[in-house]
Amino acid sequence: MNDTDPKPARGRPKTMDADKVLDIAVAAYWRDDPADVSVNAICQLAGVSKPSLYREFGSEDGLMRAALDSYAERVLSDVFAILHGGRGLKDTLEALIDFASADPRMETGCLFYKMRAGKHRLGPETRARVEELDRAAHAAYESFLESCREAGELPVGLSLGPGAKYLGEQVALAITQRASGEDPASIREMLTLALSVFARP
Amino acid sequence: MNDTDPKPARGRPKTMDADKVLDIAVAAYWRDDPADVSVNAICQLAGVSKPSLYREFGSEDGLMRAALDSYAERVLSDVFAILHGGRGLKDTLEALIDFASADPRMETGCLFYKMRAGKHRLGPETRARVEELDRAAHAAYESFLESCREAGELPVGLSLGPGAKYLGEQVALAITQRASGEDPASIREMLTLALSVFARP
DNA sequence: TATTATTCGTACCAGTCGGTAACAAAGAGC
DNA sequence: GCTCTTTGTTACCGACTGGTACGAATAATA
């Protein structure tokens, strides 16, 4: 499915690079909170007129949704890859801790978590996608814990569903703290402490 | 210091009840996010004209700061009371867990945490007060842990500063989750799990 | 009664928001 | 040439924001 000019085009050739605009939107939404970035600002940053942007993305909601999709494809996929890596409990948790507290991409936080935190401010499309990604993330955390249980690496008293939620929220907390300029070493220490409950006998 | 009409008053008698307006503002900021409540909305809720409100509170920032002060006095004080209660580690943690996951006042979250989460959107007065309260809360958590250490109730490997931060953030996380409609029982379970790191030998 | 002081609310300000109508520009097909 | 289609931009819309100028209202004081 190559969607780069499948049509020979009939009318005036377009000069707007939609991918570039989307990249700029992702960067802006990601650095600042999505609620603090206006369509006007993105147009100015991208050097594109507002009607052009609206012709491409339909609405602010459409643009945010596209930005979230792009972000999920390029960044969140790494988290899913860590969880499905098939490594053991200890290694996977360490990889998660590294990602949350040391990955330079998380220096200004996570776009997904920023959107989730301000869910009520989102349009219907973007909100639905956020909830979908949230469910997918929970499922990934849970299946990871399930494989650990089968390997006998998990404390017996810990149930999978709540454990997955706990794990996900601790990672989210750590990344959110990075967005607010917290010291990475301190974040790592706290996240390590939080996840130590999984490594107990 | 009774500041209810210390002056016999000279001009037109005031009909506006500033305390009532403040209560309404606190309730509105508390239920919804402060960033989502406009001065206009508060005026409408309180049945007060905008200039009246501005004469009393100076600016939106002043109103928010007054609302936060009122909230701290009426609600946050309870948390400080729990921490300074002089009870042991286990009882105090249980009280914190009860407060965060079961107190009906926290059903729509905590105004202080909502403001802290959107700190960059606040005016200078309110932001300064948020940071001040944050420092005070951290100090309270730390002095609580210190007293537990002196009683030998704390794991030896746990340092006080990071431990206090961890404790505070876990409570904040739990209350924030309540604001987003999470199941209280699930929140209690997760917070209990998170705080179990303090009860280990 | 006239003055002065204080509070009241209407009606406005400039700015920003998301979104669009309307027209100009530029190519392809006839 | 002309038309048709698509993209581009300017300039606007109504709604809302925080904030205020200003005159009417209401009291104590002179």
Side-chain angles (χ1 to χ4, degrees):
Chain A
M1 299 258 191
N2 183 10
D3 52 357
T4 58
D5 37 37
K7 305 170 186 174
R10 173 85 180 280
R12 175 175 175 171
K14 76 162 55 178
T15 62
M16 186 184 87
D17 186 344
D19 288 343
K20 182 190 136 199
V21 173
L22 188 56
D23 284 352
I24 289 174
V26 169
Y29 287 144
W30 191 357
R31 180 165 21 90
D32 312 330
D33 195 287
D36 296 329
V37 179
S38 68
V39 179
N40 292 310
I42 290 175
C43 289
Q44 200 156 345
L45 285 172
V48 171
S49 75
K50 223 177 346 174
S52 295
L53 190 149
Y54 272 89
R55 214 192 316 271
E56 196 72 32
F57 298 99
S59 65
E60 185 180 37
D61 190 20
L63 174 62
M64 277 201 190
R65 190 215 141 98
L68 177 55
D69 281 340
S70 167
Y71 179 83
E73 199 174 323
R74 293 185 308 172
V75 181
L76 294 187
S77 57
D78 287 13
V79 180
F80 288 100
I82 292 176
L83 290 174
H84 292 138
R87 286 176 286 180
L89 173 68
K90 189 160 170 290
D91 284 1
T92 304
L93 290 187
E94 269 176 13
L96 281 177
I97 292 172
D98 274 346
F99 178 82
S101 65
D103 192 306
R105 283 179 297 174
M106 293 296 106
E107 214 164 40
T108 58
C110 168
L111 175 56
F112 168 65
Y113 288 134
K114 287 184 178 182
M115 285 185 171
R116 199 187 62 161
K119 205 193 327 188
H120 61 284
R121 280 185 271 251
L122 301 176
E125 280 187 41
T126 314
R127 179 162 54 237
R129 190 86 182 92
V130 163
E131 286 165 353
E132 190 183 330
L133 285 168
D134 211 17
R135 283 192 299 270
H138 178 77
Y141 281 116
E142 193 164 355
S143 93
F144 157 66
L145 287 185
E146 194 178 7
S147 73
C148 293
R149 160 129 311 159
E150 286 168 1
E153 297 175 309
L154 233 49
V156 288
L158 199 143
S159 43
L160 260 45
K165 203 171 210 169
Y166 176 82
L167 178 52
E169 294 304 325
Q170 294 300 331
V171 170
L173 174 60
I175 296 180
T176 301
Q177 284 175 323
R178 289 199 68 188
S180 60
E182 216 66 45
D183 172 35
S186 163
I187 294 175
R188 162 171 246 118
E189 191 177 352
M190 291 189 359
L191 183 54
T192 303
L193 183 59
L195 302 194
S196 71
V197 300
F198 291 110
R200 293 284 174 172
Chain B
M1 299 259 190
N2 183 10
D3 51 358
T4 57
D5 38 36
K7 305 169 186 174
R10 172 84 177 281
R12 174 174 175 171
K14 77 160 56 178
T15 62
M16 186 183 87
D17 185 344
D19 287 344
K20 181 191 137 197
V21 174
L22 188 56
D23 284 351
I24 289 174
V26 169
Y29 286 144
W30 191 356
R31 182 166 21 90
D32 311 330
D33 195 286
D36 297 329
V37 178
S38 69
V39 179
N40 292 308
I42 290 174
C43 288
Q44 199 156 344
L45 286 171
V48 171
S49 76
K50 224 177 344 175
S52 295
L53 189 148
Y54 272 89
R55 201 175 309 111
E56 196 71 31
F57 298 99
S59 65
E60 186 180 36
D61 190 20
L63 175 62
M64 276 201 192
R65 190 214 141 96
L68 177 55
D69 282 340
S70 167
Y71 179 83
E73 201 175 322
R74 294 185 307 171
V75 182
L76 294 187
S77 57
D78 286 12
V79 180
F80 289 100
I82 291 177
L83 290 174
H84 293 138
R87 285 175 287 179
L89 174 68
K90 188 160 172 290
D91 284 1
T92 305
L93 290 186
E94 269 176 13
L96 282 176
I97 292 172
D98 273 346
F99 179 82
S101 65
D103 193 306
R105 283 179 297 173
M106 294 295 107
E107 214 163 41
T108 58
C110 168
L111 176 56
F112 167 65
Y113 289 136
K114 287 184 177 183
M115 285 185 170
R116 199 186 63 160
K119 205 191 331 188
H120 61 284
R121 279 183 273 250
L122 301 176
E125 279 188 41
T126 314
R127 180 162 54 236
R129 190 87 182 91
V130 164
E131 285 164 354
E132 190 183 331
L133 285 169
D134 210 19
R135 284 191 300 269
H138 178 77
Y141 281 117
E142 193 164 353
S143 93
F144 157 66
L145 288 185
E146 195 178 4
S147 74
C148 292
R149 161 128 311 160
E150 286 167 1
E153 297 175 309
L154 234 48
V156 287
L158 198 142
S159 42
L160 259 45
K165 202 170 211 170
Y166 176 83
L167 178 52
E169 293 305 324
Q170 294 300 331
V171 171
L173 174 59
I175 296 180
T176 301
Q177 284 175 323
R178 289 198 69 189
S180 60
E182 215 66 46
D183 171 36
S186 162
I187 294 175
R188 162 171 246 118
E189 190 176 354
M190 292 187 4
L191 183 54
T192 303
L193 183 59
L195 302 193
S196 71
V197 302
F198 291 109
R200 293 284 175 170

